[in-house]
Short mmCIF file of all heavy atoms in Angstrom, two decimals:
data_model
loop_
_atom_site.label_atom_id
_atom_site.label_comp_id
_atom_site.label_asym_id
_atom_site.label_seq_id
_atom_site.Cartn_x
_atom_site.Cartn_y
_atom_site.Cartn_z
N THR B 7 118.46 93.28 -84.68
CA THR B 7 117.10 92.88 -84.67
C THR B 7 116.88 91.37 -84.43
O THR B 7 115.75 90.89 -84.39
CB THR B 7 116.40 93.27 -85.94
OG1 THR B 7 117.03 92.61 -87.05
CG2 THR B 7 116.43 94.76 -86.16
N ARG B 8 117.98 90.61 -84.33
CA ARG B 8 117.90 89.18 -84.23
C ARG B 8 117.01 88.69 -83.11
O ARG B 8 116.08 87.89 -83.27
CB ARG B 8 119.27 88.57 -84.13
CG ARG B 8 119.31 87.04 -84.00
CD ARG B 8 118.80 86.37 -85.28
NE ARG B 8 118.92 84.93 -85.22
CZ ARG B 8 118.45 84.11 -86.14
NH1 ARG B 8 117.79 84.60 -87.17
NH2 ARG B 8 118.56 82.81 -85.99
N LEU B 9 117.28 89.14 -81.88
CA LEU B 9 116.49 88.71 -80.73
C LEU B 9 115.03 89.14 -80.86
O LEU B 9 114.09 88.41 -80.55
CB LEU B 9 117.05 89.27 -79.41
CG LEU B 9 118.31 88.49 -78.87
CD1 LEU B 9 118.77 89.15 -77.57
CD2 LEU B 9 117.99 87.03 -78.69
N ARG B 10 114.82 90.36 -81.35
CA ARG B 10 113.44 90.86 -81.51
C ARG B 10 112.66 89.98 -82.50
O ARG B 10 111.49 89.65 -82.27
CB ARG B 10 113.47 92.32 -81.98
CG ARG B 10 112.10 92.98 -81.95
CD ARG B 10 112.23 94.48 -82.34
NE ARG B 10 113.13 95.13 -81.41
CZ ARG B 10 112.78 95.61 -80.21
NH1 ARG B 10 111.55 95.40 -79.76
NH2 ARG B 10 113.66 96.21 -79.50
N ASP B 11 113.30 89.56 -83.58
CA ASP B 11 112.66 88.73 -84.55
C ASP B 11 112.32 87.35 -83.96
O ASP B 11 111.23 86.80 -84.19
CB ASP B 11 113.55 88.55 -85.76
CG ASP B 11 113.71 89.83 -86.57
OD1 ASP B 11 112.87 90.74 -86.39
OD2 ASP B 11 114.66 89.91 -87.43
N ARG B 12 113.22 86.78 -83.17
CA ARG B 12 113.02 85.46 -82.60
C ARG B 12 111.88 85.52 -81.55
O ARG B 12 111.03 84.62 -81.47
CB ARG B 12 114.30 84.90 -81.96
CG ARG B 12 115.42 84.68 -82.90
CD ARG B 12 115.06 83.75 -84.11
NE ARG B 12 114.51 82.46 -83.73
CZ ARG B 12 115.27 81.42 -83.56
NH1 ARG B 12 116.59 81.45 -83.71
NH2 ARG B 12 114.67 80.24 -83.24
N VAL B 13 111.86 86.61 -80.75
CA VAL B 13 110.78 86.80 -79.77
C VAL B 13 109.45 86.96 -80.49
O VAL B 13 108.40 86.46 -80.03
CB VAL B 13 111.09 87.95 -78.83
CG1 VAL B 13 109.88 88.32 -78.01
CG2 VAL B 13 112.25 87.66 -77.96
N ALA B 14 109.45 87.65 -81.61
CA ALA B 14 108.19 87.88 -82.36
C ALA B 14 107.64 86.51 -82.80
O ALA B 14 106.41 86.30 -82.84
CB ALA B 14 108.43 88.75 -83.56
N GLU B 15 108.48 85.55 -83.19
CA GLU B 15 108.06 84.23 -83.55
C GLU B 15 107.31 83.52 -82.40
O GLU B 15 106.26 82.91 -82.63
CB GLU B 15 109.28 83.36 -83.97
CG GLU B 15 109.95 83.83 -85.23
CD GLU B 15 111.14 82.98 -85.57
OE1 GLU B 15 111.48 82.06 -84.76
OE2 GLU B 15 111.80 83.19 -86.57
N LEU B 16 107.79 83.71 -81.20
CA LEU B 16 107.14 83.15 -80.02
C LEU B 16 105.82 83.85 -79.73
O LEU B 16 104.79 83.21 -79.43
CB LEU B 16 108.06 83.20 -78.82
CG LEU B 16 109.40 82.54 -78.91
CD1 LEU B 16 110.15 82.58 -77.57
CD2 LEU B 16 109.30 81.11 -79.37
N SER B 17 105.87 85.17 -79.79
CA SER B 17 104.68 85.96 -79.49
C SER B 17 103.53 85.67 -80.43
O SER B 17 102.39 85.65 -80.03
CB SER B 17 105.01 87.44 -79.53
OG SER B 17 103.89 88.23 -79.28
N GLU B 18 103.85 85.42 -81.69
CA GLU B 18 102.86 85.19 -82.71
C GLU B 18 102.51 83.70 -82.84
O GLU B 18 101.70 83.30 -83.71
CB GLU B 18 103.33 85.74 -84.07
CG GLU B 18 103.52 87.23 -84.03
CD GLU B 18 104.31 87.75 -85.24
OE1 GLU B 18 104.59 86.91 -86.16
OE2 GLU B 18 104.65 88.92 -85.26
N GLY B 19 103.07 82.88 -81.99
CA GLY B 19 102.74 81.44 -82.04
C GLY B 19 103.38 80.66 -83.17
O GLY B 19 102.99 79.51 -83.42
N ARG B 20 104.39 81.24 -83.81
CA ARG B 20 105.03 80.55 -84.91
C ARG B 20 106.14 79.61 -84.42
O ARG B 20 106.70 78.86 -85.19
CB ARG B 20 105.62 81.56 -85.89
CG ARG B 20 104.55 82.34 -86.66
CD ARG B 20 105.16 83.25 -87.68
NE ARG B 20 105.66 84.48 -87.11
CZ ARG B 20 106.91 84.94 -87.25
NH1 ARG B 20 107.76 84.24 -87.95
NH2 ARG B 20 107.28 86.07 -86.67
N ALA B 21 106.46 79.66 -83.14
CA ALA B 21 107.46 78.76 -82.54
C ALA B 21 107.13 78.66 -81.06
O ALA B 21 106.47 79.54 -80.50
CB ALA B 21 108.87 79.29 -82.78
N GLY B 22 107.59 77.56 -80.44
CA GLY B 22 107.39 77.39 -79.00
C GLY B 22 108.60 77.76 -78.18
O GLY B 22 108.50 78.07 -77.02
N TRP B 23 109.78 77.70 -78.83
CA TRP B 23 111.01 78.02 -78.12
C TRP B 23 112.12 78.28 -79.11
O TRP B 23 111.96 77.90 -80.33
CB TRP B 23 111.41 76.91 -77.17
CG TRP B 23 111.75 75.57 -77.87
CD1 TRP B 23 110.87 74.67 -78.32
CD2 TRP B 23 113.04 75.10 -78.22
NE1 TRP B 23 111.51 73.62 -78.93
CE2 TRP B 23 112.84 73.86 -78.85
CE3 TRP B 23 114.35 75.59 -78.00
CZ2 TRP B 23 113.93 73.08 -79.34
CZ3 TRP B 23 115.41 74.87 -78.48
CH2 TRP B 23 115.19 73.63 -79.14
N PHE B 24 113.24 78.85 -78.73
CA PHE B 24 114.41 79.00 -79.56
C PHE B 24 115.62 79.06 -78.70
O PHE B 24 115.55 79.32 -77.49
CB PHE B 24 114.34 80.18 -80.51
CG PHE B 24 114.45 81.54 -79.76
CD1 PHE B 24 115.64 82.02 -79.32
CD2 PHE B 24 113.33 82.29 -79.54
CE1 PHE B 24 115.77 83.26 -78.66
CE2 PHE B 24 113.38 83.54 -78.89
CZ PHE B 24 114.61 84.01 -78.44
N THR B 25 116.78 78.71 -79.26
CA THR B 25 118.07 78.91 -78.61
C THR B 25 118.96 79.68 -79.50
O THR B 25 119.05 79.43 -80.70
CB THR B 25 118.70 77.52 -78.29
OG1 THR B 25 117.88 76.80 -77.35
CG2 THR B 25 120.08 77.69 -77.65
N GLU B 26 119.64 80.71 -78.93
CA GLU B 26 120.56 81.56 -79.69
C GLU B 26 121.87 81.71 -78.90
O GLU B 26 121.88 81.79 -77.71
CB GLU B 26 119.97 82.95 -79.91
CG GLU B 26 118.89 83.04 -80.96
CD GLU B 26 119.49 83.06 -82.36
OE1 GLU B 26 120.74 83.25 -82.53
OE2 GLU B 26 118.73 82.74 -83.34
N ARG B 27 122.97 81.75 -79.63
CA ARG B 27 124.25 82.10 -79.05
C ARG B 27 124.29 83.61 -78.88
O ARG B 27 124.08 84.34 -79.88
CB ARG B 27 125.42 81.62 -79.91
CG ARG B 27 126.80 81.93 -79.42
CD ARG B 27 127.10 81.24 -78.07
NE ARG B 27 126.84 79.82 -78.07
CZ ARG B 27 127.72 78.89 -78.49
NH1 ARG B 27 128.91 79.24 -79.04
NH2 ARG B 27 127.39 77.59 -78.46
N VAL B 28 124.51 84.12 -77.70
CA VAL B 28 124.43 85.55 -77.43
C VAL B 28 125.71 86.03 -76.74
O VAL B 28 126.54 85.25 -76.22
CB VAL B 28 123.20 85.92 -76.56
CG1 VAL B 28 121.92 85.57 -77.30
CG2 VAL B 28 123.30 85.18 -75.22
N THR B 29 125.88 87.34 -76.74
CA THR B 29 126.94 87.97 -75.99
C THR B 29 126.31 88.95 -75.05
O THR B 29 125.47 89.79 -75.40
CB THR B 29 127.90 88.75 -76.95
OG1 THR B 29 128.46 87.80 -77.88
CG2 THR B 29 129.03 89.40 -76.12
N GLY B 30 126.69 88.86 -73.74
CA GLY B 30 126.17 89.75 -72.71
C GLY B 30 127.32 90.61 -72.22
O GLY B 30 128.49 90.32 -72.44
N ARG B 31 126.96 91.70 -71.51
CA ARG B 31 127.99 92.54 -70.98
C ARG B 31 127.67 92.87 -69.49
O ARG B 31 126.56 93.30 -69.18
CB ARG B 31 128.13 93.85 -71.79
CG ARG B 31 129.29 94.72 -71.35
CD ARG B 31 129.49 95.84 -72.34
NE ARG B 31 130.02 95.36 -73.61
CZ ARG B 31 131.32 95.18 -73.83
NH1 ARG B 31 132.23 95.40 -72.91
NH2 ARG B 31 131.70 94.77 -75.02
N HIS B 32 128.67 92.63 -68.68
CA HIS B 32 128.59 92.94 -67.23
C HIS B 32 128.62 94.48 -67.10
O HIS B 32 129.27 95.16 -67.91
CB HIS B 32 129.73 92.32 -66.52
CG HIS B 32 129.69 92.36 -65.02
ND1 HIS B 32 130.08 93.52 -64.32
CD2 HIS B 32 129.26 91.50 -64.11
CE1 HIS B 32 129.93 93.31 -63.03
NE2 HIS B 32 129.42 92.10 -62.89
N ALA B 33 128.01 95.03 -66.07
CA ALA B 33 128.03 96.50 -65.88
C ALA B 33 129.46 97.01 -65.73
O ALA B 33 129.69 98.18 -66.01
CB ALA B 33 127.24 96.83 -64.60
N GLY B 34 130.40 96.15 -65.34
CA GLY B 34 131.77 96.56 -65.21
C GLY B 34 132.52 96.59 -66.53
O GLY B 34 133.68 96.96 -66.57
N GLY B 35 131.83 96.21 -67.63
CA GLY B 35 132.42 96.25 -68.93
C GLY B 35 132.87 94.92 -69.48
O GLY B 35 133.19 94.80 -70.69
N ARG B 36 132.93 93.85 -68.67
CA ARG B 36 133.37 92.54 -69.16
C ARG B 36 132.29 91.94 -70.02
O ARG B 36 131.10 92.05 -69.68
CB ARG B 36 133.69 91.65 -68.00
CG ARG B 36 134.79 92.16 -67.07
CD ARG B 36 135.19 91.09 -66.07
NE ARG B 36 134.09 90.59 -65.31
CZ ARG B 36 133.59 91.19 -64.20
NH1 ARG B 36 134.13 92.32 -63.77
NH2 ARG B 36 132.58 90.67 -63.51
N ALA B 37 132.69 91.26 -71.06
CA ALA B 37 131.70 90.60 -71.94
C ALA B 37 131.78 89.08 -71.73
O ALA B 37 132.83 88.55 -71.39
CB ALA B 37 131.97 90.97 -73.39
N PHE B 38 130.65 88.43 -71.94
CA PHE B 38 130.65 86.98 -71.83
C PHE B 38 129.73 86.40 -72.92
O PHE B 38 128.80 87.04 -73.38
CB PHE B 38 130.12 86.54 -70.44
CG PHE B 38 128.72 86.93 -70.13
CD1 PHE B 38 127.63 86.08 -70.41
CD2 PHE B 38 128.44 88.15 -69.53
CE1 PHE B 38 126.32 86.46 -70.13
CE2 PHE B 38 127.11 88.57 -69.25
CZ PHE B 38 126.09 87.71 -69.55
N ALA B 39 130.08 85.17 -73.33
CA ALA B 39 129.26 84.43 -74.27
C ALA B 39 128.35 83.50 -73.55
O ALA B 39 128.63 83.05 -72.41
CB ALA B 39 130.15 83.67 -75.26
N ALA B 40 127.19 83.23 -74.15
CA ALA B 40 126.18 82.34 -73.50
C ALA B 40 125.23 81.79 -74.52
O ALA B 40 125.07 82.36 -75.62
CB ALA B 40 125.42 83.07 -72.40
N ASP B 41 124.61 80.67 -74.16
CA ASP B 41 123.50 80.19 -74.97
C ASP B 41 122.21 80.60 -74.26
O ASP B 41 122.05 80.33 -73.05
CB ASP B 41 123.54 78.64 -75.06
CG ASP B 41 124.62 78.14 -75.98
OD1 ASP B 41 124.93 78.91 -76.95
OD2 ASP B 41 125.14 77.05 -75.82
N LEU B 42 121.32 81.25 -74.98
CA LEU B 42 120.06 81.73 -74.39
C LEU B 42 118.92 80.86 -75.01
O LEU B 42 118.76 80.82 -76.23
CB LEU B 42 119.81 83.17 -74.72
CG LEU B 42 118.45 83.74 -74.31
CD1 LEU B 42 118.39 83.89 -72.79
CD2 LEU B 42 118.18 85.07 -75.02
N THR B 43 118.17 80.23 -74.15
CA THR B 43 116.97 79.52 -74.57
C THR B 43 115.75 80.30 -74.04
O THR B 43 115.65 80.62 -72.86
CB THR B 43 116.90 78.09 -74.06
OG1 THR B 43 118.01 77.36 -74.58
CG2 THR B 43 115.62 77.40 -74.42
N ALA B 44 114.84 80.64 -74.93
CA ALA B 44 113.59 81.33 -74.59
C ALA B 44 112.41 80.40 -74.89
O ALA B 44 112.32 79.84 -75.98
CB ALA B 44 113.45 82.63 -75.39
N ILE B 45 111.54 80.26 -73.91
CA ILE B 45 110.41 79.32 -74.01
C ILE B 45 109.11 80.14 -73.84
O ILE B 45 108.97 80.94 -72.87
CB ILE B 45 110.46 78.24 -72.91
CG1 ILE B 45 111.86 77.50 -72.95
CG2 ILE B 45 109.33 77.25 -73.09
CD1 ILE B 45 112.07 76.63 -71.75
N ALA B 46 108.18 79.94 -74.76
CA ALA B 46 106.92 80.68 -74.68
C ALA B 46 106.09 80.18 -73.52
O ALA B 46 105.99 78.94 -73.28
CB ALA B 46 106.14 80.49 -75.96
N VAL B 47 105.50 81.06 -72.76
CA VAL B 47 104.59 80.76 -71.67
C VAL B 47 103.20 81.22 -72.16
O VAL B 47 103.03 82.39 -72.49
CB VAL B 47 104.98 81.48 -70.39
CG1 VAL B 47 103.97 81.21 -69.29
CG2 VAL B 47 106.38 81.08 -69.96
N THR B 48 102.24 80.30 -72.18
CA THR B 48 100.94 80.63 -72.70
C THR B 48 99.85 80.60 -71.67
O THR B 48 99.95 79.90 -70.67
CB THR B 48 100.56 79.62 -73.84
OG1 THR B 48 100.51 78.30 -73.33
CG2 THR B 48 101.56 79.70 -74.98
N GLY B 49 98.84 81.37 -71.92
CA GLY B 49 97.67 81.43 -71.04
C GLY B 49 96.39 81.36 -71.86
O GLY B 49 96.46 81.03 -73.06
N ALA B 50 95.30 81.72 -71.30
CA ALA B 50 94.02 81.60 -72.05
C ALA B 50 93.99 82.54 -73.22
O ALA B 50 93.34 82.24 -74.23
CB ALA B 50 92.86 81.99 -71.08
N ALA B 51 94.71 83.68 -73.17
CA ALA B 51 94.67 84.66 -74.25
C ALA B 51 95.86 84.48 -75.23
O ALA B 51 96.05 85.30 -76.07
CB ALA B 51 94.70 86.05 -73.67
N GLY B 52 96.60 83.40 -75.06
CA GLY B 52 97.73 83.17 -75.98
C GLY B 52 99.08 83.32 -75.23
O GLY B 52 99.11 83.15 -74.00
N THR B 53 100.11 83.69 -75.96
CA THR B 53 101.45 83.84 -75.38
C THR B 53 101.45 84.96 -74.37
O THR B 53 101.11 86.08 -74.68
CB THR B 53 102.51 84.08 -76.45
OG1 THR B 53 102.46 83.02 -77.38
CG2 THR B 53 103.87 84.14 -75.86
#
């Protein structure tokens, strides 16, 4: 639930961005580490 919780912070306006160390997986099965930064994009109705 980690990513979902961090995205909820952006969606609810409790944060403007976050960075998390993540693990991704290639369709071929290989795994890779990465830093993911998510930045809120806002409009007239909010995030």
Side-chain angles (χ1 to χ4, degrees):
T7 61
R8 179 64 176 174
L9 282 180
R10 190 174 302 278
D11 291 342
R12 297 306 304 268
V13 169
E15 293 177 358
L16 302 185
S17 178
E18 296 166 8
R20 291 184 282 125
W23 64 278
F24 69 78
T25 296
E26 283 283 343
R27 180 64 51 85
V28 296
T29 301
R31 187 170 289 274
H32 189 279
R36 301 188 306 276
F38 63 91
D41 287 332
L42 174 73
T43 297
I45 306 168
V47 177
T48 60
T53 303

